């Protein structure tokens, strides 16, 4: 029987530190790209591979993490991932050109991809049912809060130090997590059999997931299917994904056990994880962009804006974990309330205007934070409840990959939507700007007189007046577009509420823990 005491909470600390390494690093780099471009002499297209390379490598490794856990041992693979991530961080910080940085970001993604899913399986296989809720709550804080504090931390480091320190900051935490892993994390009593390396499956997986990640990251930049590069990557990704699925369903010991999706609860829970990733990353992406480009907030102001919502999530995690351990109500209801609250956050921000200040965002972001806290732990419990202990690493890997893809889809779809929808709203609003419209004609006259009073010639003043009007139209079109985007994100979460009825009528409890000998 596993001895329950202080050691088990050290395990929680260990996996949470590892989760923070991965989740913060996935967003912290975004605010340093401009400084990297100037320092390394890179173009915007070149520097964007710093983000794309990490995301693609991470997605592939998330998929493989269940097989690698079985092959290398849970502790060994977890520690190796942390070490590789930390060493790659050092080389990222010392890179002298952009392609050197891209290479080591790919290596960093290989290390980071195994951290979240392995950490989650460690918790589930370590803790008994009565303690699993609070353990998942603490771990979930790292998963949910990381993407929110990443931009704030990155902006502060960039302003006060240099871009290299967004990587160097990983070093002490990586060393600490490695030491704690080898000291406190033990192998599970139940062993999972892993076959030899299926090189064909690995190639197909890299083609499929890596190609899809690149398409989603680079599609908007390259005009989607007007680009031969995107068309070629789409063909490669399609062949890779279909080939990988066929391979995993026909081999005896697959890298990723797709047959787990035949279990209804796991399949629907995996879909919810996709939507969770979609909403989490899409909202974290569009709020800072809106605040900085439309409302004129600084990076530090935007980071502080997101902080109360992150703290609300952090507060709710242990509360929900404690309530779930008491079995007052089914986890389904916690998740349902969380989905409704997230929709409420999106619905509230769909009425946003140019007059919005920091105070306008406070309560909607608090509601979002509470909603995320209510979703994460119950959703994990619901999704993995029917799996056997030996299936949990594979199940965690699959749901982690889907959540990662959900985040990538969310960011890519919102980027494309904002671009195309802004053109639509600009066109509609621009139709009303003419000398035949009394209101716009009066506004143009006022602007023209203003520029005339500053000494401009009539033609120059008139052109400037039309330029100001065009700028106002574009800004208003962007506000309308972002309002629409919030409503679309929220609709995905609202749809999840009736889907939760698929779980009604079946008892849900956390997966039984594996008894371990913990010294």
């Amino acid at each position: 029987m596993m001895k329950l005491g202080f050691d088990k909470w050290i395990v929680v600390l260990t996996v949470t530190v590892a989760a923070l390494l991965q989740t913060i690093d996935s967003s912290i780099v975004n605010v340093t790209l401009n400084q990297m471009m100037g320092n390394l002499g890179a173009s915007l297209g070149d520097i964007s591979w710093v983000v794309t390379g990490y995301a693609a490598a991470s997605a592939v490794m998330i998929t493989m993490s269940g097989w690698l856990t079985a092959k290398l041992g849970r502790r060994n693979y977890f520690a190796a991932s942390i070490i590789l991530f930390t060493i790659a961080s050092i080389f990222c910080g010392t890179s002298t050109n952009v392609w050197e940085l891209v290479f080591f970001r790919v290596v960093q993604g290989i290390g980071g991809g195994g951290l979240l899913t392995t950490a989650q399986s460690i918790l589930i296989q370590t803790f008994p049912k009565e303690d699993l809720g609070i353990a998942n709550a603490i771990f979930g804080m790292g998963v949910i809060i990381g993407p929110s504090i990443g931009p704030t931390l990155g902006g502060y480091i960039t302003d006060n130090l240099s871009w290299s320190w967004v990587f160097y900051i990983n070093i002490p935490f990586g060393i600490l997590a490695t030491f704690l892993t080898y000291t406190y994390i033990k192998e599970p009593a139940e062993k999972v059999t892993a076959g030899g390396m299926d090189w064909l499956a690995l190639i197909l997986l890299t083609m499929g997931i890596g190609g899809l990640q690149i398409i989603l990251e680079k599609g908007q930049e390259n005009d989607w299917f007007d680009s031969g590069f995107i068309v070629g990557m789409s063909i490669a990704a399609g062949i890779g994904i279909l080939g990988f699925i066929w391979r995993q369903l026909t081999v005896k010991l697959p890298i990723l056990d797709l047959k787990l999706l035949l279990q209804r609860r796991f399949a629907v829970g995996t879909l919810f994880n996709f939507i969770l990733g979609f909403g989490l990353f899409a909202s974290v992406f569009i709020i800072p962009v809106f605040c900085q480009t439309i409302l004129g907030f600084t990076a530090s102001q935007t980071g502080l804006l997101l902080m109360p919502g992150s703290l609300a999530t952090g507060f709710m995690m242990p509360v929900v974990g404690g309530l779930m351990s008491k079995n007052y109500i089914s986890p389904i209801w916690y998740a349902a309330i969380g989905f409704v609250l997230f929709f409420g956050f999106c619905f509230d921000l769909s009425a946003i205007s140019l007059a919005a200040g920091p105070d306008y965002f406070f309560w909607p972001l608090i509601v979002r934070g509470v909603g995320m806290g209510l979703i994460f732990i119950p959703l994990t419990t619901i999704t993995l409840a029917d799996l056997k202990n030996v299936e949990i690493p594979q199940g965690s890997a699959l749901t982690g990959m889907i959540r990662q893809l959900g985040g990538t889809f969310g960011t890519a779809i919102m980027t494309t939507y904002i671009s195309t929808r802004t053109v639509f709203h600009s066109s509609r609003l621009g139709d009303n700007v003419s000398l035949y419209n009394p209101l716009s004609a009066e506004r143009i006259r006022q602007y023209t007189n203003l520029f005339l009073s500053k000494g401009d010639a009539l033609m120059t003043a008139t052109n400037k007046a039309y330029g100001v009007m065009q700028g106002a139209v574009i800004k208003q079109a962007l506000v309308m577009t972002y309002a629409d985007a919030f409503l679309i994100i929220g609709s995905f979460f609202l749809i999840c509420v009736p889907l939760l009825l698929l779980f009604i009528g079946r008892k849900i409890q956390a997966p039984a823990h594996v008894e371990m000998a913990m010294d």
Side-chain angles (χ1 to χ4, degrees):
M1 178 71 181
M2 174 183 172
K3 293 187 292 183
L4 299 177
F6 180 73
D7 286 359
K8 65 179 180 178
W9 301 112
I10 298 294
V11 172
V12 177
L13 172 64
T14 303
V15 299
T16 303
V17 170
L20 280 170
L21 281 173
Q22 202 276 344
T23 56
I24 290 178
D25 211 76
S26 64
S27 60
I28 193 174
V29 172
N30 294 343
V31 297
T32 68
L33 294 179
N34 284 337
Q35 192 181 91
M36 290 178 183
M37 288 169 59
N39 189 259
L40 300 176
S43 67
L44 180 61
D46 292 340
I47 207 69
S48 65
W49 285 102
V50 172
V51 176
T52 304
Y54 178 88
S58 179
V60 171
M61 294 308 297
I62 287 173
T63 310
M64 292 188 62
S65 61
W67 180 85
L68 286 168
T69 297
K71 191 69 176 179
L72 302 178
R74 187 179 66 188
R75 181 176 65 178
N76 290 336
Y77 175 57
F78 191 62
S81 296
I82 298 171
I83 293 170
L84 184 62
F85 184 92
T86 306
I87 293 174
S89 297
I90 297 173
F91 284 103
C92 284
T94 58
S95 296
T96 56
N97 64 74
V98 66
W99 298 114
E100 183 182 351
L101 177 58
V102 169
F103 173 78
F104 287 114
R105 278 286 283 175
V106 170
V107 176
Q108 193 182 42
I110 293 173
L115 294 179
L116 284 184
T117 54
T118 310
Q120 192 172 48
S121 66
I122 287 172
L123 286 184
I124 293 173
Q125 293 179 309
T126 298
F127 280 76
K129 175 187 172 183
E130 59 270 18
D131 291 323
L132 185 58
I134 190 66
N136 264 326
I138 298 172
F139 171 70
M141 290 168 61
V143 176
I144 301 298
I145 293 176
S148 297
I149 67 174
T152 307
L153 184 61
Y156 178 83
I157 291 173
T158 302
D159 290 341
N160 294 277
L161 297 169
S162 73
W163 65 265
S164 297
W165 282 94
V166 302
F167 299 110
Y168 294 152
I169 196 174
N170 295 327
I171 298 171
F173 295 102
I175 293 172
L176 174 64
T178 302
F179 170 76
L180 293 176
T181 296
Y182 277 115
T183 304
Y184 292 98
I185 292 179
K186 307 301 179 184
E187 292 294 336
E190 297 183 47
K191 302 295 182 181
V192 181
T193 303
M197 170 55 71
D198 188 339
W199 292 105
L200 176 59
L202 179 59
I203 292 171
L204 292 170
L205 173 65
T206 304
M207 284 176 55
I209 300 300
L212 180 61
Q213 193 83 27
I214 291 171
I215 292 167
L216 293 171
E217 294 277 353
K218 308 291 287 186
Q220 176 64 24
E221 178 186 326
N222 290 275
D223 295 324
W224 294 103
F225 296 104
D226 290 335
S227 165
F229 172 72
I230 296 298
V231 172
M233 290 303 300
S234 300
I235 294 172
I239 294 172
I241 291 172
L242 294 175
F244 180 75
I245 293 172
W246 164 80
R247 184 70 176 174
Q248 298 312 286
L249 294 176
T250 56
V251 297
K252 183 177 180 181
L253 296 173
I255 293 176
L256 187 65
D257 189 2
L258 298 178
K259 293 178 181 177
L260 294 177
L261 291 171
L262 297 176
Q263 301 185 46
R264 185 186 71 172
R265 187 179 299 174
F266 179 78
V268 179
T270 301
L271 172 63
F272 289 165
N273 271 280
F274 179 88
I275 295 173
L276 175 63
F278 185 103
L280 173 62
F281 284 92
S283 60
V284 168
F285 167 72
I286 66 175
I287 289 175
V289 172
F290 178 84
C291 290
Q292 293 182 54
T293 60
I294 307 301
L295 300 181
F297 291 8
T298 65
S300 299
Q301 286 175 323
T302 305
L304 292 174
L305 190 76
L306 296 171
M307 193 60 65
S310 299
L311 294 176
T313 301
F315 172 77
M316 285 302 300
M317 287 288 190
V319 172
V320 175
L323 290 173
M324 286 184 59
S325 66
K326 303 298 183 181
N327 290 319
Y328 292 133
I329 61 175
S330 170
I332 294 172
W333 296 109
Y334 294 113
I337 295 170
F339 281 119
V340 171
L341 287 177
F342 198 99
F343 170 76
F345 146 76
C346 292
F347 184 79
D348 196 353
L349 289 189
S350 68
I352 199 165
S353 70
L354 289 171
D359 292 343
Y360 178 85
F361 293 90
F362 181 82
W363 286 112
L365 287 171
I366 291 292
V367 171
R368 174 187 179 273
V370 173
M372 296 302 291
L374 285 166
I375 293 171
F376 186 81
I377 305 170
L379 184 57
T380 300
T381 302
I382 293 168
T383 305
L384 303 179
D386 289 342
L387 300 188
K388 301 175 183 177
N389 283 290
V390 295
E391 295 174 332
I392 288 173
Q394 287 276 3
S396 296
L398 187 53
T399 56
M401 178 197 71
I402 295 298
R403 187 166 57 239
Q404 174 89 0
L405 287 178
T408 305
F409 268 90
T411 303
I413 289 173
M414 285 300 106
T415 300
T416 303
Y417 179 82
I418 288 170
S419 176
T420 56
R421 191 69 173 174
T422 301
V423 173
F424 169 78
H425 282 305
S426 296
S427 177
R428 293 288 298 274
L429 292 173
D431 290 341
N432 296 314
V433 179
S434 74
L435 293 175
Y436 301 104
N437 184 314
L439 292 177
S440 61
E442 176 61 21
R443 185 64 59 86
I444 291 172
R445 187 187 66 79
Q446 291 175 356
Y447 285 138
T448 301
N449 289 335
L450 174 64
F451 291 118
L452 286 172
S453 69
K454 295 181 180 296
D456 289 330
L458 178 60
M459 182 65 70
T460 302
T462 302
N463 289 337
K464 284 185 177 181
Y466 274 104
V468 172
M469 287 293 289
Q470 183 181 21
V473 165
I474 293 174
K475 181 171 279 192
Q476 190 59 50
L478 282 168
V479 172
M480 295 170 68
T481 298
Y482 278 94
D484 293 344
F486 282 118
L487 202 56
I488 289 174
I489 295 172
S491 66
F492 280 95
F493 281 75
L494 189 63
I495 291 170
C496 286
V497 177
L499 287 177
L500 282 167
L501 296 176
L502 293 172
F503 293 131
I504 296 294
R506 298 184 64 189
K507 184 178 180 181
I508 297 176
Q509 65 179 46
H513 74 287
V514 178
E515 295 185 357
M516 299 167 57
M518 180 173 280
D519 298 330

